[in-house]
Amino acid sequence: LLYTIKFELGMSTLQYVPFISSIDHTFWTQLNSKKLDELKLDERPLPLSAFYTNDCKPGLPAHLTLSYDSFSSSPADRGCPYYGEILNTNTVEDFKAKDFNAILNG
């Protein structure tokens, strides 16, 4: 998602900057473990959390990151939390059958 919104607050400007998303390798390891040990063939949506940070050097974009603790109900306090869910499918056919427009607009 890329967006910029500015608000004038007295003499200073509040600005929202574009950010990039990143997925840490530990996220994939944790997802693999959950799929094999807990979820198995279950295709229900799974709660997920990410965190947003804007503490990079000037000129670098802010990050929205998924990591190993994205599946935890209380993720580590490493930034502003964002919550959502992951849709798990077991076959390519199930994946292709998903209505992504409805999912994104729902």
Side-chain angles (χ1 to χ4, degrees):
L1 298 174
L2 297 175
Y3 60 91
T4 301
I5 302 171
K6 289 186 177 182
F7 295 98
E8 294 296 328
L9 299 173
M11 302 198 52
S12 62
T13 300
L14 174 64
Q15 181 177 3
Y16 292 89
V17 297
F19 64 87
I20 61 171
S21 57
S22 61
I23 302 176
D24 189 81
H25 68 91
T26 59
F27 171 83
W28 298 114
T29 303
Q30 188 68 14
L31 178 59
N32 184 43
S33 294
K34 286 190 99 42
K35 178 66 180 155
L36 292 174
D37 300 334
E38 296 174 35
L39 300 173
K40 301 185 192 279
L41 297 177
D42 189 351
E43 290 191 356
R44 289 179 289 177
L46 186 63
L48 198 63
S49 63
F51 61 92
Y52 171 84
T53 57
N54 190 17
D55 57 358
C56 301
K57 293 181 180 179
L60 293 177
H63 284 152
L64 181 69
T65 306
L66 291 165
S67 65
Y68 70 94
D69 62 346
S70 292
F71 298 99
S72 172
S73 59
S74 56
D77 185 17
R78 294 185 295 192
C80 180
Y82 276 65
Y83 298 97
E85 57 188 24
I86 187 169
L87 301 177
N88 178 43
T89 59
N90 292 305
T91 65
V92 172
E93 293 77 20
D94 289 343
F95 178 78
K96 289 180 179 179
K98 295 283 185 193
D99 182 356
F100 291 103
N101 285 327
I103 292 169
L104 292 174
N105 294 322

